[in-house]
Amino acid sequence: MPLCDREKVLSKVEPPNNNYNTHASLENGGTDMLEIVSCCTDSRYVEHDCYKFLCIVMKGLRFIFAPAKALRTTETEDEKLAQGLQLEQRPVTLMKRLEHIQHVLLQRTDPLLAAKLHMFGVEPHMFLIRWVRVLLAREVSMPQLLLIWDGIFSHTPNDFSLVDSLCVALLTERSYRQRIISTSRDHVTCLKILKRVPRFEEDQVGSIVYKAIKIHNEYEQHLRKINRQIKLQLQQEVGASAELEFVDKNSFESRFQREFFPE
């Protein structure tokens, strides 16, 4: 198989007996581990699986490639499948997403680097659009890309938002960050550095993924904290309003009783 060593995978699973027919058992409703692994690694269906996975991924990324007004409202089979996996459209445009990466996440993580990019007049779309559109596929080698995609699809399967934090983690990688910070010329030189991501070792890519997960989790905690504060404030306001309405209602009923139904 081109994607995995099927025999090596199957060797890890002990068959129930020597006369075991995997596909016949699956057709009869069998669900043990050997059946599942054997079916999932069957080379006859690799092309089908790749196409289906590509459709699901592209449904999650369609806000990047298709304007909101151009999105179809009718649901196809692939869209229903994507909904079954809880994929959802992000309610922002691509430009808003890029601005969020540089002006919010990077500013929170590394204010000095964010200030450096601002000083050179580097806008997010000048380099981030290339990174986000293909989930960093053009910036790293294939083995490293698999590590990055494992992090994206496992940690944020609903909206692939870990790619935002990955961009920040990549920018703040120690050696790469130092090259950007030490630039003392013009924005052209800075952009050349940003568009030529250095080749990282596998352990460096692993560290970048872990750092991205940390950035993502910290920002999510920050959002939850803000949401709790807003919710508490709204509850207090609604509670005060309800109490005021209750007082006004009682006052009106008492006045109505005295004026029209005196004792």
Side-chain angles (χ1 to χ4, degrees), residues 56-243:
I56 294 173
V57 170
M58 294 309 297
K59 295 303 177 184
L61 295 176
R62 59 182 176 179
F63 76 95
I64 293 178
F65 299 95
K69 293 182 179 179
L71 294 177
R72 292 178 289 106
T73 56
T74 57
E75 292 184 354
T76 64
E77 180 182 354
D78 290 331
E79 288 173 338
K80 292 179 180 179
L81 177 60
Q83 289 181 1
L85 295 178
Q86 297 183 342
L87 294 179
E88 58 185 18
Q89 300 178 31
R90 291 179 66 85
V92 294
T93 63
L94 175 60
M95 296 306 299
K96 292 294 184 181
R97 179 92 171 252
L98 303 181
E99 291 173 359
H100 172 75
I101 294 173
Q102 181 169 330
H103 300 323
V104 178
L105 294 180
L106 182 61
Q107 178 65 36
R108 284 173 51 87
T109 306
D110 194 332
L112 180 60
L113 180 57
K116 187 76 173 183
L117 296 180
H118 177 73
M119 182 182 70
F120 281 127
V122 176
E123 295 296 330
H125 67 273
M126 294 179 178
F127 67 101
L128 286 176
I129 192 170
R130 167 190 171 114
W131 296 7
V132 173
R133 272 187 168 170
V134 292
L135 302 179
L136 298 171
R138 299 171 64 182
E139 313 309 319
V140 296
S141 63
M142 181 57 67
Q144 297 173 343
L145 181 63
L146 295 179
L147 292 175
I148 290 176
W149 281 6
D150 279 347
I152 295 174
F153 298 145
S154 64
H155 197 73
T156 55
N158 295 343
D159 55 9
F160 310 147
S161 58
L162 186 66
V163 69
D164 301 354
S165 301
L166 277 165
C167 292
V168 175
L170 185 62
L171 285 169
T172 55
E173 195 278 330
R174 184 170 57 182
S175 60
Y176 191 37
R177 176 186 182 274
Q178 186 59 36
R179 289 181 58 194
I180 301 172
I181 291 294
S182 60
T183 302
S184 58
R185 298 183 181 179
D186 52 15
H187 73 284
V188 176
T189 305
C190 185
L191 280 175
K192 286 182 179 179
I193 297 175
L194 292 171
K195 291 184 177 182
R196 296 176 183 175
V197 178
R199 295 299 178 185
F200 297 111
E201 299 295 333
E202 186 172 340
D203 59 337
Q204 289 179 297
V205 174
S207 299
I208 290 172
V209 173
Y210 282 119
K211 184 175 182 178
I213 293 174
K214 181 180 179 181
I215 293 172
H216 181 272
N217 290 341
E218 288 178 351
Y219 185 68
E220 289 295 317
Q221 292 175 0
H222 171 69
L223 290 182
R224 285 195 293 269
K225 181 179 179 181
I226 293 178
N227 288 337
R228 285 196 300 267
Q229 294 175 347
I230 294 176
K231 184 177 180 180
L232 180 60
Q233 183 178 358
L234 288 175
Q235 288 176 344
Q236 293 175 348
E237 293 177 355
V238 171
S241 176
E243 183 179 356

